[in-house]
Amino acid sequence: DTTGTSPTGGSGDIKIGMSVSTLNNPYFVQLRSGAEEEAKKLGVSLTVTDAQNDASQQVNQVQNFTSQNMKAIVINPVDSDAAAPAVKAAERSNIPVIAADRGVNGAQVKQTVASDNVQGGKLAAQELAKQMGEKGKVVVLQGVAGTSASRDRGQGFTEGIKAYPGIQVVAAQPADFDRTKGLDVMSNLLQSHPDITGVFAENDEMALGAIKALGAKAGSAVKVVGFDGTPDGLKAVQDGTLAATVAQQPKVLGQQAIASAVKAAKGESIQQTVAVPVKVATKDNVSEFAG
Amino acid sequence: MSSRTKVLLSENGALVALVVLAVALSLLSSDFLSVSNLLNVGVQAAVTAILAFGATFVIITAGIDLSVGSVAALSAITLAYLSTTSGLPWPLATVIALAVGVVCGLANAALIAYGKLPPFIATLAMLGIARGLALVVSQGSPIAMPDAVSHVGDTIGGYLPIPVIVMVVMGLIAAVILNRTYPGRAMYAIGGNEEAARLSGIKVNRQKLVTYALSGGFAAVAGIVLASRLASAQPQAAAGYELDAIAAVVIGGASLSGGKGRAFGTFVGALILAVLRNGLNLLSVSAFWQQVVIGVVIALAVLVDTLRRRSSN
Amino acid sequence: MSSRTKVLLSENGALVALVVLAVALSLLSSDFLSVSNLLNVGVQAAVTAILAFGATFVIITAGIDLSVGSVAALSAITLAYLSTTSGLPWPLATVIALAVGVVCGLANAALIAYGKLPPFIATLAMLGIARGLALVVSQGSPIAMPDAVSHVGDTIGGYLPIPVIVMVVMGLIAAVILNRTYPGRAMYAIGGNEEAARLSGIKVNRQKLVTYALSGGFAAVAGIVLASRLASAQPQAAAGYELDAIAAVVIGGASLSGGKGRAFGTFVGALILAVLRNGLNLLSVSAFWQQVVIGVVIALAVLVDTLRRRSSN
Amino acid sequence: MSQEILRVEGLRKRFPGVLALDGVDLSLRTGEVHVLLGENGAGKSTLIKMLSGAYHPDEGRVLLDGRPVEIRTAGDAQRLGIATIYQEFNLVPELTVGENLALGRPPRRFGFVDVKAMHRQARELLDRVGLDIDPRRKLGTLGIARMQMVEIAKALALEARVLIMDEPTAVLTTGEVDRLFSIVRQLRDQGVAIVFITHHLEEIAQVGDRVTVLRDGRSVAEVPADTPEDELVRLMVGRPIDQQYPRESERPGRALLKVSGLGRRGHFDEVSFEVRAGEVVGLAGLVGAGRTEVARAIFGADHYDEGEVTVDGRPLPAGDIHAAMAMGLGLVPEDRKGQGLVLGADVAENLGLVTLGRATRAGFVDRQGQRKVAAEVAGRLGVRMSGLGQEVRTLSGGNQQKIVIGKWLLADVSVLILDEPTRGIDVGAKVEIYQLINTLTASGHAVLMISSDLPEVIGMSDRVLVMARGRLVGELPADEATQDAVMALAVTEVEGSRVQ
Ligand SMILES: Nc1ncnc2c1ncn2[C@@H]1O[C@H](COP(=O)(O)OP(=O)(O)OP(=O)(O)O)[C@@H](O)[C@H]1O
Ligand SMILES: Nc1ncnc2c1ncn2[C@@H]1O[C@H](COP(=O)(O)OP(=O)(O)OP(=O)(O)O)[C@@H](O)[C@H]1O
Ligand SMILES: [Mg+2]
Ligand SMILES: [Mg+2]
């Protein structure tokens, strides 16, 4: 057809739509660039939309993809449960759907490319405990209340930290995945808990804010563990201010999702799940994550 | 031009903007004018439109309701919690969910009418309170909607989406209330000149209760439609929708200083926002540029209207 | 009571609420009243307060500025981009960043004064446009701030935080503008009765340009302070701060219908919000309940004020 | 010999649906008071708004000192030396009196507003118009009459060569009117050219020199100010009016409204009187005597601290407008813009406001029926409008006032309280309103009429009550009520009055 669309990455006749939960967060920006690189490499046309963390807007976008006759859809769900109707709608139009980063509950997708947030939370707990010498007080900086990322990471961390009786979580407060709020909330918590030696932040942005608040204590007296492995986060690991970050390799995630989507669009069979491993980046291994 | 058409166009200048926008999009994208896409737009406008109908009442009285998004979420969570978690029959749960919306509205109105709080503050407080309660009730996790209610998100005959029907019905209700009922006429008088309304025997405080209760009730309906579409009630649903709802009302020709506004205008305003978002997706505008384009088009849409009005004078 | 104190209390009822809140918190948490915590609160209030001072101008003219948060982010990104990425000397980059804020404000005002757009729509459009441009310029990723500028986020002598100083200075500037300059007095006249202002020879459109330009300029300062605190400019910084800024102004005694408002009141309003958030952290209120508590306390704070005012009549 | 300073030729102005001005000529000389006369909606205010820069003419031109001038903004008018007192106040209630007086041109020092100088200048101006109030007081707390004096003082501050006054006396009582006239004469003697609009015909001979009569947007005559009133009326209305105050008294029946010992701290004290069926009771007094406050308290618009009100023998709960209306009370407020009208709504909507409840069945309003009755009342009062759908904001001042009264005429009230009911209404329409008052009392209803227009109170009342400083100081039957007698009572010094 002769649409006036101007998709990014390639001009092949395979059109793929991708709805990203949010582009407000460097993590998902990287997910997108991985996807775009792969699309370019494979010569397919890719349309990326930003759901701005709004599940219903995401449903709208997937519906719009079906009107546009996309050959495959990649959805990075805002919420695993809420994505189901969108996936069903695509299914009715016989468009294969790949879930990236988070799974979809209550509907069948062709493939889930995910890194396990709960698992990542556990790894974060283990790494933090290790660096704290398995004792001391910890505060948790939570993401936006009610989001699945916050829920799963928090849950994993809580489960993981139970294994260390010497470690006590003295406070858990929301900082909305935001660097400024991470700074403010950490400053406030330091007033009531000046003796903490560990911080778990449910994403790198908040961790970086917390490091600002901790000043010289960050990396020495207080160990901060973040989540996501964003460029700024990895850099902080390198500098030694961030003790560790749970890196999810968003670029790999994006690449994998597009590769699978193209296969599905061509009618090739693909695996039910692909797990992109979560890795803990510490000062020792951070160089592996560069790029 | 018949006088009816004239009135329609002069009082709903936004309609002109909507038509221009639709024509432009159908030229730019061959996908836009398909029936299925237009129905899509309708579905996507539904939640904002229903919230905006409720906000229209409030804005006509020169008030503002920032809490509509949160109240929508709280109502949906209430419904899902009561029926799915507590096992109440869904019709009862639905009635209670609607009542929750109305009660939130009444609480807003009580603070405004009797506590003399500025509507901005009272409803900003409710924005936080209702959202917080939604999180508390749901423990931060989505709750599945009962299947019976989830059908509200479906289509009739695989074609006509029920959210569109609900939107149209709520719009008609809003129009009838505004044009034909005592509370509706009182809203215009209160927004136009509260003191004159009071001295004419209108019980201003009581009418404000009605106004905000309606807004809360409409928000509850919007919340249920939203949750039904997703088959799941989300504690974070409709966050930030208050600005969209108010924008729809103002694009539709109402004034935040009160006394003006129509249900039809609001409907057009909500459609403009939905068409715009749909169009940007169809045209694959990059995510970073989308916000810029939305901003520019909203400004242009209202500008068309004011310029047209000025030149016709 | 001296007549000055009386005026201070009667025109700034929010002060009473702030005192009550502070006393309550110091009873509930032994950490609250320490000097270091109070300085913390000051730092955390700074960005909102500076944005709110700018919003005060606009609200006094019966306008509204929803774009302040986005404009703050765009200015900060501009500064960081020009100096870090493009290698411009930081003083020049800073001047350009401030100019960007002012230009955004002027664009708002042009739409409002000459395009006759409702301020809500014009600034909502700018909210999207400025945020979008911030994303476009930064490609969605944070940009490091130049070290020289980042010192704005530091403390003097390891104690006195510079953001607090900036906040106080901006507050004084706002107060002087409002009380002692022609544009300031014109703002009150325009907000109180725009027609009367026009017929008294005030160039209303030109004064609106000044008003929104000031709001944009203040937003740019706020954005730079915010980015300096993090040593990094974030494209998503200050998202949603517009509601906080407007709330601070209204809590401080201004009316959205214009003609009323003072810089000191706004300052108190911003402090109330910051104290509240700080207190919730100190008391470790659970994430789900925080929004409820914030909502309730904001409503109570303003209620205290209106009830006190009513009983004193 | 005075010379021509301002000349208007063939001015034309069209608004949607109305041709407001249809070729107006006017010639103004230095040192004269030129009266503009015309029915409500004749185009007087529109004409002067084109001299003040508020509107732009569609056709025609304005010459100042013989040269054509473009007056695009209020600033242009100020620079040309034209100052205007508008019919509707152009003041900012939230600001202080002093700031209102300096609006748009505050004194400055080093670029900053010099508040001290501003208040000093304000004090001088207030003294000039004889207003003893603190310039630091918020304007919004003043009554209507004193706002009018502030508006006058504000115009004086401009030291203009041409001073335009649109119905400045409409809300003033005799005392202020005298004060105003002495200021006007003084300015005239200094060579200022003054345009003066009024509906009080007796004022024309007192201050005027020449009169231009407008009819239907056209200037139809220019006559000397000592032209007999009958002739002026004929020129203006097109027909003579035989009787200005056509009161037909009835035999008073039982007491419908009874007020006993009413008091509100700081406002009024020990107010007791009754109004009987078929009666028109006038309430006179100086500005600030507290008449409006008493009326509002009776109607339930304000609270009161002591005393009791009964309607037809039944006690009326305090502060409850709805109850007052249910028992048959009505109030036409003095401030039409602030309290009487929904300016942004149309004529039909405003006329139907009071009867909204009555026109409602099962929650639904019979808007068709409402429009029908509204059309009838608008016709009876001769409201000049393009249709029932015209926004009230765009009606002429007098026609707006007719709407405020009209909406209460539609309600079936047993006691109607009128606060300055004929403010700004032309002579012809006034007689129409008086006839309606007669109809009301003839059918056994009662009227309490507050008015600063002494001839009106005296001409239309069966009894006149006089207030001073928040107290009732006397009562005069119709045949004893002369202007002198009323004034003598109105200036009574009240012993122990708690009103400042
Ligand atoms: N902005 C406007 N839009 C529409 N019509 C208007 C507007 N302003 C005035 N008019 C109409 O112009 C006519 C003349 O009005 P104007 O105010 O000049 O009358 P006026 O002579 O001052 O009457 P009054 O004695 O009642 O003050 C009226 O019919 C009025 O309704
Ligand atoms: N809003 C207000 N706040 C405080 N005091 C007021 C207010 N309005 C009026 N007053 C005071 O109440 C008294 C009477 O007011 P007002 O001037 O309205 O009386 P009035 O007899 O109706 O006179 P008129 O109607 O001729 O102006 C005055 O002392 C005035 O200062
Ligand atoms: Mg007039
Ligand atoms: Mg009065």
Side-chain angles (χ1 to χ4, degrees):
Chain A
D1 60 24
T2 56
T3 63
T5 54
S6 55
T8 53
S11 54
D13 48 67
I14 295 183
K15 290 200 297 180
I16 293 176
M18 175 166 174
S19 174
V20 180
S21 59
T22 174
L23 288 170
N24 289 357
N25 184 320
Y27 173 81
F28 294 103
V29 174
Q30 277 185 287
L31 177 83
R32 183 187 65 163
S33 41
E36 282 174 343
E37 277 170 24
E38 187 71 13
K40 206 169 209 167
K41 204 177 93 192
L42 298 176
V44 297
S45 109
L46 175 66
T47 301
V48 183
T49 60
D50 175 5
Q52 297 179 330
N53 266 331
D54 179 339
S56 72
Q57 208 170 318
Q58 186 156 48
V59 175
N60 298 346
Q61 291 171 352
V62 173
Q63 280 182 345
N64 293 341
F65 287 154
T66 61
S67 321
Q68 287 169 283
N69 301 313
M70 295 295 181
K71 293 288 178 284
I73 293 172
V74 177
I75 181 169
N76 158 231
V78 171
D79 185 278
S80 301
D81 295 276
V87 173
K88 282 182 185 156
E91 231 165 43
R92 275 198 294 275
S93 319
N94 287 318
I95 304 173
V97 179
I98 310 292
D101 189 49
R102 292 171 195 142
V104 175
N105 301 337
Q108 197 65 37
V109 291
K110 277 271 179 291
Q111 184 180 71
T112 306
V113 184
S115 51
D116 189 340
N117 272 316
V118 179
Q119 179 62 26
K122 280 185 191 152
L123 290 179
Q126 285 161 12
E127 184 62 32
L128 185 59
K130 194 174 99 194
Q131 296 209 22
M132 286 170 68
E134 302 198 359
K135 63 175 177 359
K137 292 181 179 169
V138 172
V139 296
V140 177
L141 297 181
Q142 302 166 311
V144 175
T147 58
S148 68
S150 170
R151 248 182 352 251
D152 296 345
R153 292 170 188 185
Q155 183 196 337
F157 182 82
T158 312
E159 285 169 11
I161 210 73
K162 273 197 196 122
Y164 307 94
I167 293 184
Q168 193 194 349
V169 177
V170 292
Q173 288 285 287
D176 298 349
F177 290 135
D178 181 82
R179 203 185 286 196
T180 319
K181 291 211 176 113
L183 166 53
D184 287 349
V185 172
M186 193 68 232
S187 315
N188 293 340
L189 289 176
L190 279 176
Q191 300 297 323
S192 45
H193 305 288
D195 53 346
I196 53 157
T197 53
V199 176
F200 171 57
E202 287 173 357
N203 79 348
D204 280 350
E205 286 294 298
M206 293 189 289
L208 292 166
I211 286 168
K212 259 280 170 193
L214 289 165
K217 283 205 257 177
S220 52
V222 181
K223 305 293 180 193
V224 182
V225 172
F227 209 112
D228 282 348
T230 61
D232 279 8
L234 292 171
K235 190 169 164 292
V237 171
Q238 211 149 23
D239 298 345
T241 48
L242 187 59
T245 175
V246 179
Q248 287 181 289
Q249 315 191 65
K251 270 198 164 163
V252 181
L253 257 163
Q255 286 163 355
Q256 179 64 49
I258 295 301
S260 302
V262 173
K263 279 189 188 157
K266 290 179 178 159
E268 297 168 25
S269 73
I270 51 174
Q271 279 174 284
Q272 262 291 315
T273 52
V274 172
V276 174
V278 285
K279 291 194 209 157
V280 179
T282 59
K283 197 158 187 172
D284 305 330
N285 68 352
V286 66
S287 50
E288 296 168 27
F289 294 83
Chain B
M1 215 165 18
S2 85
S3 85
R4 270 209 98 107
T5 334
K6 243 189 214 157
V7 167
L8 204 72
L9 277 179
S10 80
E11 302 214 346
N12 297 291
L15 201 54
V16 178
L18 177 60
V19 171
V20 171
L21 190 61
V23 169
L25 280 176
S26 57
L27 293 177
L28 289 171
S29 160
S30 61
D31 302 318
F32 179 74
L33 263 193
S34 71
V35 175
S36 76
N37 188 55
L38 292 182
L39 285 175
N40 258 347
V41 171
V43 175
Q44 291 162 20
V47 172
T48 308
I50 298 170
L51 289 175
F53 290 137
T56 308
F57 300 123
V58 172
I59 288 173
I60 285 174
T61 66
I64 197 161
D65 191 347
L66 298 173
S67 70
V68 290
S70 298
V71 170
L74 179 59
S75 296
I77 287 282
T78 305
L79 200 173
Y81 180 82
L82 290 180
S83 58
T84 306
T85 314
S86 310
L88 237 60
W90 69 263
L92 185 59
T94 307
V95 170
I96 297 178
L98 291 173
V100 164
V102 170
V103 168
C104 288
L106 289 174
N108 281 333
L111 287 173
I112 293 162
Y114 303 105
K116 302 285 168 228
L117 288 198
F120 187 92
I121 293 294
T123 60
L124 182 70
M126 184 56 76
L127 177 153
I129 294 171
R131 180 70 63 193
L133 290 178
L135 284 165
V136 170
V137 171
S138 67
Q139 285 304 305
S141 304
I143 311 178
M145 286 288 275
D147 284 342
V149 179
S150 280
H151 288 309
V152 172
D154 291 349
T155 50
I156 292 181
Y159 215 67
L160 193 61
I162 302 183
V164 172
I165 300 175
V166 177
M167 164 174 71
V168 170
V169 170
M170 296 308 283
L172 289 176
I173 294 177
V176 168
I177 291 177
L178 286 175
N179 288 320
R180 292 270 171 268
T181 69
Y182 183 89
R185 302 320 299 171
M187 288 170 202
Y188 285 99
I190 292 171
N193 185 343
E194 186 165 327
E195 184 64 7
R198 196 171 74 95
L199 291 179
S200 300
I202 292 172
K203 290 183 173 165
V204 172
N205 285 348
R206 182 187 295 179
Q207 294 306 326
K208 283 188 179 168
L209 286 173
V210 174
T211 304
Y212 286 86
L214 279 170
S215 178
F218 273 59
V221 173
I224 294 170
V225 170
L226 178 60
S228 301
R229 285 189 64 207
L230 304 171
S232 141
Q234 314 257 318
Q236 282 295 344
Y241 280 31
E242 56 281 351
L243 285 189
D244 266 19
I246 298 169
V249 178
V250 178
I251 293 174
S255 154
L256 288 180
S257 44
K260 262 181 3 189
R262 298 168 72 90
F264 184 71
T266 297
F267 179 59
V268 174
L271 282 184
I272 287 182
L273 293 177
V275 165
L276 193 50
R277 298 234 163 85
N278 172 269
L280 291 172
N281 286 164
L282 295 187
L283 299 178
S284 298
V285 174
S286 102
F288 295 159
W289 282 104
Q290 287 210 2
Q291 311 205 40
V292 178
V293 177
I294 292 179
V296 170
V297 176
I298 288 180
L300 282 182
V302 184
L303 205 57
V304 163
D305 183 21
T306 59
L307 292 182
R308 196 190 46 78
R309 212 174 290 188
R310 221 192 300 179
S311 72
S312 82
N313 271 11
Chain C
M1 216 165 14
S2 85
S3 85
R4 271 208 97 106
T5 333
K6 244 189 214 158
V7 168
L8 205 72
L9 277 181
S10 79
E11 302 215 344
N12 296 292
L15 201 54
V16 179
L18 177 60
V19 171
V20 171
L21 189 61
V23 169
L25 279 176
S26 58
L27 293 177
L28 288 171
S29 160
S30 57
D31 304 314
F32 178 75
L33 262 192
S34 71
V35 175
S36 75
N37 189 54
L38 293 181
L39 285 174
N40 248 345
V41 172
V43 175
Q44 291 165 23
V47 172
T48 307
I50 298 170
L51 289 176
F53 290 137
T56 308
F57 300 123
V58 172
I59 288 173
I60 285 173
T61 66
I64 197 161
D65 192 346
L66 297 174
S67 69
V68 290
S70 298
V71 170
L74 178 60
S75 296
I77 287 282
T78 305
L79 201 173
Y81 181 83
L82 289 179
S83 58
T84 306
T85 314
S86 310
L88 238 61
W90 68 264
L92 185 58
T94 306
V95 170
I96 297 178
L98 291 173
V100 164
V102 170
V103 168
C104 289
L106 288 174
N108 281 332
L111 287 174
I112 293 162
Y114 303 105
K116 301 287 169 226
L117 288 198
F120 187 91
I121 293 294
T123 60
L124 182 70
M126 184 56 76
L127 177 152
I129 294 171
R131 181 69 65 191
L133 290 178
L135 285 165
V136 169
V137 171
S138 67
Q139 285 303 306
S141 301
I143 311 178
M145 286 288 276
D147 283 344
V149 180
S150 281
H151 288 310
V152 172
D154 292 349
T155 50
I156 292 181
Y159 214 65
L160 193 60
I162 301 183
V164 173
I165 300 175
V166 177
M167 164 173 73
V168 170
V169 169
M170 296 308 282
L172 290 176
I173 293 176
V176 169
I177 291 177
L178 285 174
N179 289 320
R180 290 276 172 268
T181 69
Y182 183 87
R185 300 321 297 174
M187 288 171 202
Y188 286 97
I190 292 170
N193 185 345
E194 184 165 331
E195 187 61 14
R198 177 173 299 119
L199 293 177
S200 302
I202 293 173
K203 294 191 170 139
V204 172
N205 284 350
R206 183 187 296 177
Q207 293 307 327
K208 283 188 180 168
L209 286 173
V210 174
T211 305
Y212 285 86
L214 279 170
S215 178
F218 274 59
V221 173
I224 294 170
V225 170
L226 178 61
S228 301
R229 287 187 62 207
L230 300 169
S232 146
Q234 315 256 318
Q236 280 300 337
Y241 280 31
E242 58 279 353
L243 284 189
D244 266 18
I246 298 169
V249 178
V250 178
I251 294 174
S255 154
L256 287 181
S257 45
K260 260 180 7 188
R262 299 169 71 90
F264 184 71
T266 297
F267 179 59
V268 174
L271 283 184
I272 287 181
L273 292 178
V275 165
L276 192 50
R277 300 234 161 86
N278 172 268
L280 291 172
N281 287 157
L282 294 187
L283 300 177
S284 280
V285 174
S286 104
F288 297 159
W289 283 104
Q290 287 208 0
Q291 312 205 39
V292 178
V293 177
I294 293 180
V296 171
V297 175
I298 288 180
L300 282 180
V302 184
L303 205 57
V304 163
D305 183 21
T306 59
L307 292 182
R308 195 190 46 78
R309 212 175 289 188
R310 218 192 304 178
S311 73
S312 79
N313 270 11
Chain D
M1 180 62 213
S2 62
Q3 77 217 40
E4 186 177 84
I5 173 167
L6 184 97
R7 183 175 189 83
V8 167
E9 289 175 356
L11 229 48
R12 216 175 283 271
K13 178 73 185 175
R14 175 178 289 284
F15 292 113
V18 217
L19 184 57
L21 291 186
D22 184 15
V24 171
D25 303 323
L26 177 73
S27 147
L28 186 62
R29 293 193 206 125
T30 56
E32 78 161 338
V33 176
H34 196 121
V35 179
L36 275 184
L37 195 61
E39 280 184 290
N40 295 134
K44 305 177 294 292
S45 298
T46 307
L47 169 60
I48 61 116
K49 279 183 184 167
M50 282 187 284
L51 300 177
S52 71
Y55 290 160
H56 312 299
D58 298 335
E59 271 175 53
R61 53 182 198 156
V62 178
L63 298 102
L64 194 70
D65 298 323
R67 274 187 304 277
V69 285
E70 280 274 324
I71 309 173
R72 302 220 131 261
T73 65
D76 291 349
Q78 281 185 14
R79 272 186 296 281
L80 292 170
I82 303 173
T84 308
I85 297 163
Y86 294 94
Q87 184 173 13
E88 309 299 341
F89 304 139
N90 279 296
L91 300 168
V92 185
E94 277 296 327
L95 295 182
T96 64
V97 170
E99 282 204 81
N100 269 288
L101 290 171
L103 205 62
R105 11 159 238 102
R108 270 166 281 187
R109 267 182 77 184
F110 314 118
F112 292 102
V113 172
D114 185 348
V115 176
K116 263 210 191 115
M118 187 172 77
H119 285 126
R120 203 177 48 240
Q121 291 167 12
R123 185 66 269 156
E124 286 163 16
L125 282 168
L126 291 173
D127 285 344
R128 224 169 129 194
V129 297
L131 207 51
D132 182 26
I133 47 175
D134 185 351
R136 266 169 258 267
R137 184 161 161 185
K138 214 161 93 172
L139 181 100
T141 65
L142 300 182
I144 284 271
R146 284 191 285 187
M147 282 196 205
Q148 178 72 69
M149 294 309 279
V150 172
E151 179 89 34
I152 291 167
K154 183 179 158 204
L156 294 182
L158 287 172
E159 306 289 352
R161 302 162 62 207
V162 176
L163 179 59
I164 301 170
M165 308 174 119
D166 195 352
E167 299 193 31
T169 58
V171 294
L172 299 183
T173 48
T174 327
E176 292 97 20
V177 172
D178 290 344
R179 180 98 203 178
L180 176 65
F181 284 178
S182 76
I183 296 170
V184 165
R185 288 192 196 99
Q186 193 188 330
L187 289 170
R188 176 185 60 191
D189 296 342
Q190 290 163 9
V192 176
I194 293 161
V195 177
F196 194 91
I197 300 177
T198 183
H199 286 294
H200 297 286
L201 298 182
E202 71 280 2
E203 291 172 2
I204 296 175
Q206 286 179 46
V207 285
D209 296 311
R210 285 193 298 169
V211 181
T212 291
V213 182
L214 292 187
R215 197 154 83 210
D216 296 335
R218 253 166 278 175
S219 39
V220 292
E222 196 201 271
V223 292
D226 52 12
T227 311
E229 281 187 20
D230 292 349
E231 175 65 10
L232 290 174
V233 169
R234 202 190 51 76
L235 282 169
M236 180 166 94
V237 191
R239 63 183 160 87
I241 286 176
D242 0 304
Q243 208 186 351
Q244 246 189 326
Y245 301 109
R247 173 70 189 143
E248 292 156 12
S249 290
E250 310 284 327
R251 268 181 71 87
R254 63 189 192 288
L256 280 182
L257 173 69
K258 206 166 160 180
V259 176
S260 12
L262 213 60
R264 180 179 175 196
R265 266 184 297 282
H267 294 270
F268 53 84
D269 224 356
E270 290 168 28
V271 175
S272 307
F273 62 90
E274 57 181 45
V275 184
R276 291 189 278 170
E279 242 189 343
V280 175
V281 175
L283 189 53
L286 296 182
V287 174
R291 298 163 301 168
T292 297
E293 274 69 15
V294 169
R296 285 175 58 90
I298 293 172
F299 185 60
D302 292 336
H303 71 92
Y304 49 82
D305 301 317
E306 55 201 20
E308 198 196 26
V309 179
T310 59
V311 178
D312 211 2
R314 287 175 302 162
L316 185 65
D320 185 346
I321 293 175
H322 208 75
M325 282 174 66
M327 290 172 72
L329 234 51
L331 170 72
V332 172
E334 67 174 342
D335 175 5
R336 61 173 170 248
K337 238 177 155 181
Q339 302 166 351
L341 296 169
V342 182
L343 287 171
D346 64 21
V347 172
E349 198 75 17
N350 272 283
L351 282 173
L353 211 52
V354 170
T355 45
L356 194 60
R358 247 192 15 214
T360 305
R361 294 270 172 287
F364 289 89
V365 180
D366 173 18
R367 290 184 74 191
Q368 223 57 39
Q370 277 207 304
R371 279 183 85 84
K372 244 181 35 216
V373 209
E376 196 207 320
V377 172
R380 225 165 57 196
L381 292 174
V383 176
R384 199 188 155 100
M385 57 185 183
S386 60
L388 283 175
Q390 184 172 357
E391 221 178 280
V392 163
R393 185 195 313 279
T394 65
L395 287 183
S396 82
N399 284 305
Q400 288 180 355
Q401 184 66 30
K402 290 180 195 170
I403 306 291
V404 182
I405 299 177
K407 68 175 180 179
W408 280 103
L409 293 178
L410 283 173
D412 197 16
V413 290
S414 63
V415 182
L416 186 57
I417 307 173
L418 302 166
D419 196 351
E420 311 285 1
T422 60
R423 176 185 161 201
I425 289 190
D426 67 44
V427 278
K430 262 187 200 168
V431 174
E432 192 61 44
I433 287 167
Y434 299 149
Q435 298 289 12
L436 286 165
I437 291 177
N438 281 339
T439 319
L440 275 178
T441 52
S443 54
H445 301 315
V447 171
L448 176 65
M449 184 170 74
I450 301 171
S451 176
S452 300
D453 183 355
L454 270 188
E456 172 178 278
V457 192
I458 292 163
M460 282 303 295
S461 309
D462 301 323
R463 276 187 295 140
V464 179
L465 305 173
V466 185
M467 277 188 79
R469 291 192 164 238
R471 302 249 189 142
L472 269 183
V473 288
E475 177 181 332
L476 298 164
D479 45 9
E480 289 172 27
T482 60
Q483 297 215 17
D484 291 342
V486 173
M487 282 312 289
L489 280 172
V491 296
T492 317
E493 275 301 317
V494 183
E495 283 291 315
S497 168
R498 282 187 268 161
V499 178
Q500 71 277 23

